[in-house]
């Protein structure tokens, strides 16, 4: 079976992306990161998701981006935004260089494992236009992948696939429900508490979509 590396954060988007890769016939290899995020609880969710989706290989890599901060996800002295998404402002939850680093490691893993694709749960619609979640960013990175490795030089670089990049959160929830994604174990909250806060941007977007599709039972307990 053809292999694909799937970046699995533990959130709804990445879990749905993993299910899509499996549904499209790939043997998924999950890759997660402990990068100093305040919501490291998402890694426990990633482990559960990998098990429930019967993913045999799951790598968790330590890269401490919190050493220099620059984001409210990696620096607890910066307040998390709780007023909703402003489409004209890149929020403080943007982590400098995060996706660039993650994809580079995914390319290394894919080449070592003979994977022909890398599935990414990035989305350009609901998160205020993170610069590293745009289609043009992904296209540029594909060019780098084609040039930067042995398999790339041989014309067999892994393809970077972002099936959710243009989807709304409602679209993503509908896909997740159709594919049987265990939404109840995914973790999207930016806070590191025992229960979702219901106030951060990620909780707000997720909850609104779940309510819209008629699944308020899966929304934050804070509603």
């Amino acid at each position: 079976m053809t292999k694909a590396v799937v970046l699995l954060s533990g959130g709804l988007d990445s879990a749905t992306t993993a299910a899509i890769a499996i549904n499209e016939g790939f043997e998924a290899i999950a890759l997660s990161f402990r990068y100093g995020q305040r919501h490291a609880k998402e890694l426990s969710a990633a482990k559960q998701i990998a098990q429930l989706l019967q993913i045999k290989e799951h790598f968790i890599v330590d890269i401490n981006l919190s050493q220099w901060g620059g984001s409210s996800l990696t620096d607890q002295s910066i307040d998390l935004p709780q007023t909703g998404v402003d489409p004209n402002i890149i929020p403080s939850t943007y982590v400098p260089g995060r996706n660039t680093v993650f994809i580079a490691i995914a390319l290394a893993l894919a080449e070592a494992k003979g994977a022909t694709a890398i599935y990414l749960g990035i989305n350009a619609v609901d998160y205020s236009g993170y610069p590293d979640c745009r289609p043009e960013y992904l296209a540029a990175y594909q060019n780098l992948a084609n040039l930067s490795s042995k398999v790339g030089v041989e014309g067999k670089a892994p393809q970077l696939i972002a099936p959710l990049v243009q989807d709304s959160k409602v679209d993503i929830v509908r896909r997740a429900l159709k594919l049987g994604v265990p939404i109840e174990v995914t973790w999207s909250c930016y806070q590191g508490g025992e229960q979702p806060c219901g106030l951060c941007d990620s909780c707000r977007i997720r909850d609104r979509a779940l309510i819209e599709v008629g699944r308020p039972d899966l929304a934050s307990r804070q509603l």
Side-chain angles (χ1 to χ4, degrees):
M1 184 180 291
T2 306
K3 297 178 181 180
V5 171
V6 179
L7 291 183
L8 186 64
S9 69
L12 173 60
D13 294 1
S14 70
T16 304
T17 298
I20 290 171
I22 293 168
N23 187 61
E24 291 179 349
F26 287 97
E27 177 185 341
I29 301 170
L31 176 61
S32 305
F33 294 91
R34 186 180 292 105
Y35 62 93
Q37 65 269 48
R38 68 164 77 200
H39 57 307
K41 183 174 179 177
E42 66 179 3
L43 292 174
S44 297
K47 292 177 182 178
Q48 291 183 67
I49 293 161
Q51 291 172 357
L52 290 169
L53 295 181
Q54 299 183 354
I55 295 174
K56 297 177 181 178
E57 290 189 281
H58 183 196
F59 296 91
I60 299 177
V61 176
D62 289 286
I63 301 176
N64 190 7
L65 300 180
S66 69
Q67 293 180 87
W68 47 79
S71 167
S72 57
L73 294 190
T74 57
D75 184 345
Q76 298 205 28
S77 69
I78 303 174
D79 292 334
L80 286 168
Q82 297 185 339
T83 58
V85 173
D86 184 338
N88 299 310
I89 299 174
I90 296 174
S92 67
T93 51
Y94 163 70
V95 181
R98 178 178 61 179
N99 284 348
T100 300
V101 171
F102 288 1
I103 297 172
I105 294 174
L107 284 168
L109 176 59
E111 185 167 19
K113 292 290 185 176
T116 61
I118 297 171
Y119 275 73
L120 312 163
I122 63 175
N123 179 266
V125 177
D126 282 327
Y127 287 100
S128 299
Y130 285 177
D132 54 1
C133 287
R134 296 173 296 162
E136 53 266 44
Y137 165 84
L138 200 61
Y141 216 128
Q142 184 67 66
N143 287 334
L144 175 62
N146 296 341
L147 295 170
S148 62
S149 63
K150 177 177 181 291
V151 289
V153 171
E154 294 170 347
K156 297 179 291 186
Q159 295 302 297
L160 305 180
I161 301 172
L164 310 180
V165 69
Q166 298 288 12
D167 283 8
S168 69
K169 187 62 72 175
V170 170
D171 294 330
I172 294 169
V173 169
R174 286 176 176 151
R175 284 206 198 198
L177 291 170
K178 184 177 180 180
L179 291 167
V181 173
I183 297 175
E184 67 280 1
V185 306
T186 63
W187 183 266
S188 300
C189 181
Y190 290 147
Q191 296 282 6
E194 286 302 311
Q195 301 295 334
C197 72
L199 297 172
C200 69
D201 288 350
S202 185
C203 277
R204 288 173 183 268
I205 294 168
R206 173 189 171 114
D207 289 351
R208 187 166 61 243
L210 288 166
I211 291 168
E212 185 170 336
V213 302
R215 292 303 306 269
D217 56 302
L218 295 173
S220 167
R221 295 187 181 187
Q222 299 295 317
L223 287 177

